[in-house]
Amino acid sequence: MKPVIIIQGPTAVGKSSLALSLAEKLNLDIISADSRQIYKYMDLGTAKPEADELARVKHHLIDIIRPDEKYNAGAFAQDASRLVDDTDLKFPIICGGTGFYISSFLEGLCVIPEIAVEVRNKVMSDYDKLGSILMYDKLSEIDPIVAKRISDNDKQRICRGLEVFFGTGKKLSDFWEEQGILTPRKVLNIVVVDDREDIYHRINTRYEIMVKNGLLDETRKLLEMGYKENDPGMTAVGYKELLENLLHKRPLSECINLAKQHSRNYAKRQLTWYRKCKLDLVFYRKSIKYKDIDYYIEKFINENN
RNA sequence: GGCGGGAUAGCUCAGUUGGUAGAGCAGAGGCCUGAAAAGCCUUGUGUCCCCAGUUCAAGUCUGGGUCUUGCCA
C-alpha cells in the first residue's frame, strides 16, 4: 500500500496553493478531495485550480462528472484508492476540504449495494406524507442501533436507514458490523488552520473576487446548458444563492451576503470536524514555514521509500 | 402640512381577552458510516423608543413627545 500525503483544512485557508507548491517542488500528483470540484463547468465558485496550475501539476478527480450527476463519499473512496493503489503515482497528495471523503478513503466505508431509485423515492415520499416522527418510529423498530444514533428530525439519515433495509433486506447497522478492517495506510495527515475571523474575512473577500470575475455569468451559463436548480452540483454554496437571483429575482447584494454567510457556516463545520481527526501535523496558516513542511514531507518520503 | 403604518434579542419579526416576553436567521459549541459546500443537535435577561396616566398588574389600554416609513397634498 502506497504512502499518501494529505492536506486538508477549512475553505479559503490556502491549502490548494500549499499543495500545489509542494507537488511542483517534489514532482507529485494531486488528488482533489473536494465534493464540488468534481463538477465540470463549475470553476470560479469552487475555487478550482487555474488552467496553468492544472498544466503544471497533474490533478485527479477534478472535472469528472456533470452537474446533474451524483457522486458520493463511497465513490470517492473507491476512485482515490484506485488512483493510489492501482496506478504508478508516487506519493500523491490528497488535498481538499471534504473531510468525509478523506475519512472514507482512510477508514473505508462498508460495502452497500446501490439502492434502487424506486425504493429511495418511495421512502422519501412516505417521509413527506407521514412526517418525521412516524418514520423515525418505523426505523426504531427496524434498526434501533441506527435510530438511536440520529435525531428524530434527521430526514437524510432516517431515509437512509430505511432505504438500505427496504432496498437490500438487511439493516444498515448490519452493514456497519461487516465493515472489513482495512490495512492501515501510511499517511502524513496535515491540516492547515487559521484564526476564525481571518478565515471569515478571507471567505468574504474571495467571494467578492469570484463575483467580480464572472461567477454570475458562469451560473447563468449552467442554466443555459439545461442544468436545474436542484441538480446535485447546483446546490453548491456560492451558486445556489446566485440562482436565487437569476431564477427568483432576489436582490443580488442579498444573495452575495448569503453566499458569504453559508461559506462561513461551512468553514465552522469543517473546523469542528478536524478537531476529532487523527492528524499528524497542524499548521497554523500565519506561521507556515515552507522549510518546516519540506522537512516533514521529505522525512516522510524517505521513511516510506 | 394632512392621514395612516411601525418602533420588542446583533438582524427580520411574533406576541392572542392587560399577569415583567418568543420564533427564524446570525453568533457560539457539538454530531456526522454513500446528498457531506449536505443534514442534524444544543444554546435566547432583552432600558419591549421616551415621559406621564389608568390599574393590584401595561410590550399590551389612554394622553403627550421622539424617530421612522407609506399615501395624499
Side-chain angles (χ1 to χ4, degrees), chain A residues 2-6 84 91-92 94 105 185-188 300:
Chain A
K2 220 171 285 174
V4 182
I5 296 158
I6 293 174
V84 171
F91 291 104
I94 295 184
F105 163 76
R185 288 180 183 280
K186 287 173 191 154
V187 292
L188 182 67
F300 176 73

Side-chain angles (χ1 to χ4, degrees), chain A residues 41-278:
Chain A
Y41 322 123
M42 302 180 69
D43 304 330
L44 259 28
T46 61
K48 218 175 266 178
E50 307 278 339
D52 67 300
E53 297 174 324
L54 293 171
R56 272 188 282 150
V57 172
K58 176 77 184 151
H59 284 70
H60 304 267
L61 302 188
I62 284 182
D63 289 341
I64 55 172
I65 58 172
R66 284 179 279 111
D68 59 348
E69 291 179 288
K70 281 186 178 161
Y71 196 76
N72 58 46
F76 176 83
Q78 219 165 29
D79 289 345
S81 299
R82 180 178 41 78
L83 282 166
V84 171
D85 300 325
D86 305 339
T87 66
D88 50 9
L89 287 187
K90 256 194 158 187
F91 291 104
I93 297 178
I94 295 184
C95 173
T98 308
F100 184 40
Y101 280 13
I102 291 173
S103 74
S104 300
F105 163 76
L106 288 176
E107 285 141 46
L109 276 179
C110 43
V111 182
I112 300 175
E114 197 77 13
I115 307 299
V117 260
E118 309 85 65
V119 175
R120 166 165 291 197
N121 291 341
K122 174 78 167 64
V123 169
M124 295 292 252
S125 68
D126 280 358
Y127 189 99
D128 293 334
K129 244 183 292 171
L130 301 172
S132 63
I133 302 296
L134 284 176
M135 293 299 269
Y136 181 78
D137 288 347
K138 195 182 249 181
L139 179 64
S140 299
E141 277 170 41
I142 291 168
D143 195 341
I145 297 172
V146 168
K148 209 171 291 175
R149 287 177 49 154
I150 61 178
S151 143
D152 61 8
N153 195 37
D154 196 335
K155 178 176 180 180
Q156 265 181 34
R157 294 195 173 85
I158 293 171
C159 288
R160 176 65 181 159
L162 290 171
E163 74 174 21
V164 167
F165 180 75
F166 293 131
T168 68
K170 261 170 67 175
K171 292 187 280 183
L172 178 55
S173 57
D174 288 339
F175 283 104
W176 291 353
E177 288 269 325
E178 287 167 15
Q179 184 172 2
I181 297 140
L182 284 178
T183 12
R185 288 180 183 280
K186 287 173 191 154
V187 292
L188 182 67
N189 200 348
I190 302 171
V191 69
V192 185
V193 295
D194 198 1
D195 295 328
R196 182 75 58 91
E197 51 188 300
D198 292 315
I199 294 173
Y200 284 1
H201 182 254
R202 221 172 300 116
I203 284 171
N204 295 341
T205 51
R206 185 176 74 167
Y207 194 69
E208 292 285 346
I209 292 168
M210 286 173 176
V211 172
K212 199 178 290 172
N213 288 346
L215 185 55
L216 194 61
D217 286 336
E218 187 175 286
T219 310
R220 194 179 290 121
K221 204 175 283 174
L222 289 165
L223 288 174
E224 285 164 10
M225 281 190 262
Y227 297 115
K228 298 281 181 296
E229 202 178 2
N230 39 19
D231 282 344
M234 302 290 267
T235 60
V237 169
Y239 289 88
K240 65 179 176 201
E241 296 83 0
L242 294 185
L243 288 169
E244 281 285 308
N245 171 258
L246 294 172
L247 261 22
H248 309 296
K249 304 267 188 288
R250 188 164 189 164
L252 185 61
S253 62
E254 223 173 84
C255 297
I256 289 173
N257 283 332
L258 271 176
K260 293 175 184 170
Q261 185 176 93
H262 294 153
S263 297
R264 281 182 250 125
N265 296 158
Y266 170 50
K268 182 181 185 297
R269 267 179 276 133
Q270 288 175 303
L271 289 168
T272 304
W273 176 277
Y274 297 132
R275 273 177 216 148
K276 65 156 190 193
C277 290
K278 286 168 277 166

